[in-house]
Amino acid sequence: TDKFIDKIDASEDESLIKFIIGGIKFKAYIGSLNDSFAGSWNGTADQGRADARYLYESFERTVSTDFIVPILSDATRQSTWTKLQNLARKTYPVYKSQGFHGQTVNVTIGDLFKNQPMIITDLSYDWDNETPWEITDGKQAPFYTNVSISFTVLGSKPTSGTKVYQNI
């Protein structure tokens, strides 16, 4: 595992939250964090009624966030790009002799989510026209990457009495 995040200057480290996706530790600037809860209902006509009767069918919880991953020095360049590549690989299928399957990731974002199993449903990297680039040959790449990621939360059966944020 990459221990780089543990070596950051101590005074700076005190202002950081834990931000780990699939074992990959990021030093990042979070732009937004959204947590959505969606129950699915099915309306069916009932004899003698003009309005439908509704049956609760399923539940899904999704988390999405966008954040900026900076390259703060030449010494961190390679490890930062490795982390971004490893995160993208978490969306790839895993092939086995009997077919393929997707990957789950454990997500930690401060104390809101601690090692919470999730699946990545969408991941994108963005470099807008204001993004500065390194111009040295062999290193020509952006200094920071805007990351947008969405997850479906996995876990135990939610019930009306279940805590929403287990760790707070």
Side-chain angles (χ1 to χ4, degrees), residues 19-107:
F19 190 65
I20 307 166
I21 302 171
I24 305 166
K25 296 178 181 181
F26 285 98
K27 177 177 170 38
Y29 302 99
I30 296 176
S32 69
L33 177 62
N34 303 294
D35 194 0
S36 299
F37 308 83
S40 175
W41 296 83
N42 183 22
T44 57
D46 192 10
Q47 187 174 357
R49 291 179 60 136
D51 59 322
R53 299 189 119 207
Y54 287 89
L55 177 65
Y56 191 87
E57 290 189 331
S58 65
F59 172 80
E60 185 170 81
R61 182 177 182 187
T62 57
V63 172
S64 60
T65 184
D66 63 75
F67 55 95
I68 297 172
V69 178
I71 295 174
L72 300 174
S73 69
D74 195 51
T76 65
R77 178 181 322 285
Q78 188 58 50
S79 66
T80 301
W81 282 107
T82 298
K83 289 176 184 187
L84 290 168
Q85 290 184 57
N86 289 341
L87 180 60
R89 286 186 192 113
K90 300 288 184 186
T91 66
Y92 289 6
V94 175
Y95 290 93
K96 301 282 184 169
S97 61
Q98 299 172 345
F100 65 92
H101 62 85
Q103 301 180 59
T104 61
V105 293
N106 289 337
V107 176

